[in-house]
């Protein structure tokens, strides 16, 4: 929370007045006049005090306004409000019209860095939720399996890894790519990543992937991996 030397009640009251009335030009003009220290404080106040609890349409309107104003200064600050909001209010991308405006901005006006930061952060937020993850990737035009693999390899959770497995199936003719994916997973070092590398080695028949694998799956279990997320989850959780 913002406290002590990082909190100023006057700044909070001014910000709250602009946000409550959705006076975005007034807000950005006010931010332009702040010192560097107070500018940072304003970001913390909005991220930690306002955005976790405000109504959903207002959340996305503020998100869009600050993104368009100065994404370098505010994108990560705003994203950090999402876990707090998720715990207090719930959070979704696929069920909110306000997010579509943000996605359109990222696709049309945002930098590659902005888009990459947003995707990477949301992969962590929705690590287990395939519907949200799929909507995230589609909404930001991450459609090619290689680009999906780039992001999903760096994610965590069964939802991310199910979509990674599906992307690997789309590129199963490229054995060097699949082998590289397995090696990347093994280097991550956690049990789930190592298990997926082991599953992929068996499923795609990749003798180039070297390692000590204790995993033993029957052919019928390998076949279940591709049936649905629920089936994939059951197989991975049985390992």
């Amino acid at each position: 929370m913002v406290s002590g030397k990082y909190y100023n009640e006057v700044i909070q009251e001014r910000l709250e007045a602009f946000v409550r009335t959705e006076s975005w030009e007034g807000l950005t003009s006010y931010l332009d006049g702040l010192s560097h220290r107070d500018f940072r404080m304003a970001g913390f106040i909005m991220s930690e005090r306002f955005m976790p609890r405000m109504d959903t349409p207002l959340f996305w309107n503020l998100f869009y306004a600050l993104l368009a104003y100065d994404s370098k200064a505010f994108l990560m600050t705003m994203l950090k409000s999402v876990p707090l909001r998720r715990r207090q209010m719930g959070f979704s991308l696929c069920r909110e019209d306000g997010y579509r405006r943000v996605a359109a901005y990222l696709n049309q006006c945002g930098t590659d860095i902005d888009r990459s930061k947003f995707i990477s952060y949301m992969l962590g937020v929705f690590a287990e939720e395939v519907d949200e993850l799929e909507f995230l990737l589609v909404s930001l035009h991450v459609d090619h399996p290689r680009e999906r693999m780039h992001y999903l390899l760096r994610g965590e959770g069964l939802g991310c890894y199910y979509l990674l497995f599906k992307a690997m199936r789309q590129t199963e003719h490229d054995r060097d790519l699949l082998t590289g994916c397995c090696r990347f997973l093994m280097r991550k070092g956690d049990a789930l990543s190592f298990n997926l590398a082991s599953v992929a080695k068996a499923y795609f028949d990749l003798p180039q992937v070297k390692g000590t694998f204790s995993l033993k799956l029957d052919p019928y279990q390998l076949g279940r991996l591709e049936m649905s997320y629920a089936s994939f989850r059951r197989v991975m959780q049985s390992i």
Side-chain angles (χ1 to χ4, degrees):
M1 295 295 293
V2 181
S3 60
K5 65 179 181 180
Y6 296 111
Y7 173 65
N8 182 302
E9 186 173 350
V10 173
I11 291 178
Q12 175 165 325
E13 289 176 353
R14 292 296 303 278
L15 293 172
E16 190 170 20
F18 288 122
V19 171
R20 185 175 59 252
T21 58
E22 301 195 46
S23 302
W24 306 130
E25 290 187 9
L27 172 63
T28 56
S29 294
Y30 176 69
L31 292 171
D32 282 338
L34 294 176
S35 67
H36 179 70
R37 176 180 178 275
D38 288 349
F39 186 90
R40 291 181 64 245
M41 186 193 307
F44 283 122
I45 288 172
M46 287 187 285
S47 175
E48 297 189 17
R49 294 197 167 215
F50 295 171
M51 298 186 78
R53 293 181 293 274
M54 62 177 48
D55 290 344
T56 298
L58 183 57
F59 171 88
W60 286 115
N61 287 342
L62 176 58
F63 199 110
Y64 178 86
L66 293 176
L67 181 67
Y69 164 63
D70 190 342
S71 63
K72 185 176 181 180
F74 283 106
L75 178 57
M76 287 307 301
T77 297
M78 293 188 295
L79 287 173
K80 289 175 183 177
S81 75
V82 170
L84 295 172
R85 182 174 181 82
R86 185 170 164 85
R87 287 195 294 270
Q88 296 181 32
M89 302 277 293
F91 184 82
S92 173
L93 297 178
C94 64
R95 294 190 297 272
E96 300 301 337
D97 290 338
Y99 164 66
R100 289 168 170 79
R101 189 181 181 206
V102 168
Y105 181 88
L106 289 169
N107 288 327
Q108 297 166 16
C109 306
T111 66
D112 290 341
I113 292 174
D114 290 341
R115 181 171 166 273
S116 180
K117 284 181 178 178
F118 189 93
I119 293 168
S120 297
Y121 198 92
M122 289 300 175
L123 288 179
V125 171
F126 296 113
E128 307 288 340
E129 299 175 49
V130 167
D131 289 345
E132 293 282 356
L133 291 171
E134 181 68 31
F135 184 79
L136 166 70
L137 296 176
V138 170
S139 68
L140 295 177
H141 301 169
V142 186
D143 301 315
H144 194 281
R146 283 177 176 267
E147 187 180 9
R148 287 193 168 205
M149 290 162 71
H150 168 79
Y151 286 110
L152 294 166
L153 276 168
R154 291 157 180 79
E156 298 177 355
L158 284 169
C160 281
Y161 280 178
Y162 174 65
L163 293 183
L164 174 60
F165 176 72
K166 288 180 66 176
M168 293 173 77
R169 287 187 64 213
Q170 291 180 277
T171 59
E172 59 185 337
H173 59 283
D174 192 337
R175 302 178 69 77
D176 289 341
L177 177 63
L178 297 179
T179 298
C181 286
C182 290
R183 290 171 178 165
F184 187 97
L185 288 166
M186 292 166 67
R187 287 195 297 270
K188 291 178 75 172
D190 62 280
L192 182 59
S193 298
F194 199 86
N195 285 343
L196 181 57
S198 180
V199 164
K201 171 183 169 68
Y203 185 90
F204 297 109
D205 187 21
L206 300 172
Q208 309 96 312
V209 178
K210 306 298 183 183
T212 303
F213 299 107
S214 59
L215 173 67
K216 300 295 181 184
L217 290 178
D218 293 326
Y220 80 90
Q221 290 177 292
L222 291 174
R224 286 180 177 173
L225 290 168
E226 63 196 57
M227 293 173 60
S228 67
Y229 176 44
S231 297
F232 177 87
R233 187 173 61 238
R234 280 195 294 271
V235 172
M236 293 297 294
Q237 289 176 339
S238 72
I239 298 172

